[in-house]
């Protein structure tokens, strides 16, 4: 179903979070008659793999999409040994992959919301040609559930991204597990009252899309809500402001998603042409 939905758009770049390597319910085994039947039919056996990356790669390939990809494990679950599980991040690209690396983000083992190991995956792509290369850097994250860990890790991510030459084309995307009003997002946008803003600043692709009221210079545009911090306590200020509607992606299993916790941020000389959400949405038509 996921491959069907994505292949209808044939995106050039895809980021995935919570990509698993694990045994799954109903998974065929070497002794399973289903495998022998499929061998006799000459069917592909990729769906016997424990790797979701393999599933996705082969499913896209069957639909005529030959992606390059990078998968980076972040954490291993050993609770069901010997059937361990690995969770990580992945980037699929129709463009050539020039390089990839990752940064392990810090954890607070005393914070129950920060139990999982988090990473930031960086993938360098050449979206130009071999004779006239144009490199863009894709950063993918799946953030902690802890607010304090989010703001700490976000500063680590920005520091990681700052290692590239200023002016580099950079996209930061993924599941941030927080709302636009939360401290880590406010910091990324340069709106945190006590932390120095990233330089150069980041733009929120959803708010910067041409159809967004926030991207208009009109004086009638709503005043965005922001955060107010007193000493170390931060609260969301909602009086006299309006929250940008739409862009909701969570919870996609519900009939009507009601939260925006998945983001795309960018900086560098990037012109945003459009932004579409497809699937189950409240304010956008399924596309």
């Amino acid at each position: 179903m996921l491959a069907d939905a994505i292949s209808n758009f044939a995106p050039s770049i895809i980021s995935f979070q919570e990509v698993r390597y694990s045994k799954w319910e109903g998974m065929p085994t070497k002794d399973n008659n289903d495998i022998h039947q499929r061998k006799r039919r000459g069917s592909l056996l990729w769906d016997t793999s424990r790797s979701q990356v393999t599933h996705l790669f082969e499913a896209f390939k069957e639909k005529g999409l030959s992606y390059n990809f990078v998968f980076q494990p972040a954490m291993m679950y050993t609770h069901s040994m010997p059937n361990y599980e690995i969770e990580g991040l992945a980037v699929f690209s129709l463009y050539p992959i020039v390089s990839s690396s990752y940064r392990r983000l810090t954890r607070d083992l005393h914070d129950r919301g920060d139990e999982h190991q988090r990473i930031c995956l960086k993938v360098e792509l050449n979206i130009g040609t071999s004779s006239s290369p144009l490199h863009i850097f894709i950063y993918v994250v799946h953030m902690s559930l802890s607010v304090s860990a989010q703001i700490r890790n976000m500063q680590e991510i920005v520091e990681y991204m700052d290692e590239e030459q200023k002016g580099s084309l950079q996209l930061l995307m993924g599941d941030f597990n927080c709302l636009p009003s939360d401290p880590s997002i406010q910091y990324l946008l340069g709106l945190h009252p006590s932390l120095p803003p990233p330089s150069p600043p980041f733009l929120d692709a959803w708010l910067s899309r041409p159809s967004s009221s926030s991207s208009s210079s009109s004086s009638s545009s709503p005043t965005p809500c922001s955060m107010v911090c007193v000493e170390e306590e931060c609260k969301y200020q909602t009086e006299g402001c309006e929250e940008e509607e739409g862009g909701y992606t969570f919870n996609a299993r519900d009939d009507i998603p009601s939260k925006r916790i998945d983001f795309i941020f960018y900086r560098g000389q990037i012109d945003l042409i459009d932004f579409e959400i497809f699937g189950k949405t409240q304010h956008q038509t399924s596309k």
Side-chain angles (χ1 to χ4, degrees), residues 25-44:
E25 186 176 352
M27 175 180 173
T29 65
K30 292 182 179 179
D31 299 325
N32 194 308
N33 289 331
D34 185 43
I35 285 188
H36 299 296
Q37 291 173 4
R38 270 180 284 183
K39 281 184 177 179
R40 287 194 293 270
R41 294 196 306 264
S43 302
L44 293 172

Side-chain angles (χ1 to χ4, degrees), residues 122-137:
K122 178 178 76 172
V123 179
E124 180 183 3
L125 306 175
N126 180 14
I127 62 175
T129 64
S130 56
S131 59
S132 182
L134 177 60
H135 291 189
I136 187 169
F137 298 88

Side-chain angles (χ1 to χ4, degrees), residues 103-121:
R103 178 67 52 88
R104 286 170 61 95
L105 305 177
T106 59
R107 296 168 61 190
D108 181 355
L109 298 180
H110 301 289
D111 185 345
R112 297 198 61 180
D114 195 26
E115 292 178 332
H116 293 178
Q117 177 62 57
R118 309 289 176 169
I119 65 172
C120 177
L121 171 63

Side-chain angles (χ1 to χ4, degrees), residues 91-102:
V91 169
F92 278 56
S93 171
L94 294 177
Y95 295 111
I97 295 175
V98 178
S99 67
S100 66
S101 62
Y102 73 98

Side-chain angles (χ1 to χ4, degrees), residues 14-271:
I14 315 170
S15 71
F16 291 102
Q17 300 82 49
E18 292 193 70
V19 183
R20 298 278 178 154
Y21 178 93
S22 65
K23 187 175 181 180
W24 42 275
E25 186 176 352
M27 175 180 173
T29 65
K30 292 182 179 179
D31 299 325
N32 194 308
N33 289 331
D34 185 43
I35 285 188
H36 299 296
Q37 291 173 4
R38 270 180 284 183
K39 281 184 177 179
R40 287 194 293 270
R41 294 196 306 264
S43 302
L44 293 172
L45 298 179
W46 57 264
D47 59 344
T48 64
S49 171
R50 297 187 178 201
S51 170
Q52 286 185 338
V53 170
T54 301
H55 294 178
L56 289 166
F57 175 78
E58 295 294 346
F60 288 139
K61 189 175 180 180
E62 287 181 0
K63 297 179 182 300
L65 296 171
S66 295
Y67 281 102
N68 306 296
F69 71 86
V70 172
F71 169 63
Q72 179 58 54
M75 183 168 180
M76 177 184 290
Y77 299 88
T78 59
H79 54 266
S80 56
M81 291 294 285
N83 296 316
Y84 63 89
E85 299 179 29
I86 294 175
E87 178 186 319
L89 305 174
V91 169
F92 278 56
S93 171
L94 294 177
Y95 295 111
I97 295 175
V98 178
S99 67
S100 66
S101 62
Y102 73 98
R103 178 67 52 88
R104 286 170 61 95
L105 305 177
T106 59
R107 296 168 61 190
D108 181 355
L109 298 180
H110 301 289
D111 185 345
R112 297 198 61 180
D114 195 26
E115 292 178 332
H116 293 178
Q117 177 62 57
R118 309 289 176 169
I119 65 172
C120 177
L121 171 63
K122 178 178 76 172
V123 179
E124 180 183 3
L125 306 175
N126 180 14
I127 62 175
T129 64
S130 56
S131 59
S132 182
L134 177 60
H135 291 189
I136 187 169
F137 298 88
I138 309 298
Y139 296 81
V140 183
V141 296
H142 180 203
M143 299 293 283
S144 173
L145 297 174
S146 164
V147 174
S148 60
Q150 288 169 1
I151 186 64
R152 184 184 71 246
N153 289 165
M154 192 67 80
Q155 293 176 82
E156 295 165 358
I157 291 167
V158 170
E159 181 180 342
Y160 184 36
M161 298 179 71
D162 283 345
E163 293 177 3
E164 295 300 327
Q165 184 178 355
K166 277 192 179 297
S168 298
L169 306 181
Q170 296 181 324
L171 294 173
L172 173 61
M173 61 186 72
D175 178 356
F176 287 71
N177 273 321
C178 59
L179 300 175
S181 56
D182 284 340
S184 59
I185 303 299
Q186 295 285 293
Y187 159 69
L188 200 62
L189 297 176
L191 300 175
H192 196 288
S194 61
L195 292 175
S199 177
F202 289 85
L203 294 175
D204 182 337
W206 175 253
L207 297 183
S208 301
R209 71 195 192 283
S211 58
S212 169
S213 60
S214 299
S215 64
S216 171
S217 59
S218 169
S219 59
S220 62
S221 297
T223 302
C225 299
S226 59
M227 180 179 54
V228 175
C229 295
V230 178
E231 294 181 350
E232 295 184 355
E233 183 178 359
C234 296
K235 294 183 178 180
Y236 191 39
Q237 180 66 40
T238 57
E239 185 176 352
C241 64
E242 297 180 30
E243 180 63 84
E244 176 78 18
E245 290 190 344
Y248 304 144
T249 56
F250 182 83
N251 184 336
R253 291 174 294 184
D254 293 343
D255 291 334
I256 302 178
S258 59
K259 294 181 180 180
R260 186 162 76 99
I261 66 171
D262 302 288
F263 298 84
I264 299 176
F265 298 98
Y266 65 97
R267 63 181 181 178
Q269 295 298 315
I270 297 175
D271 292 328

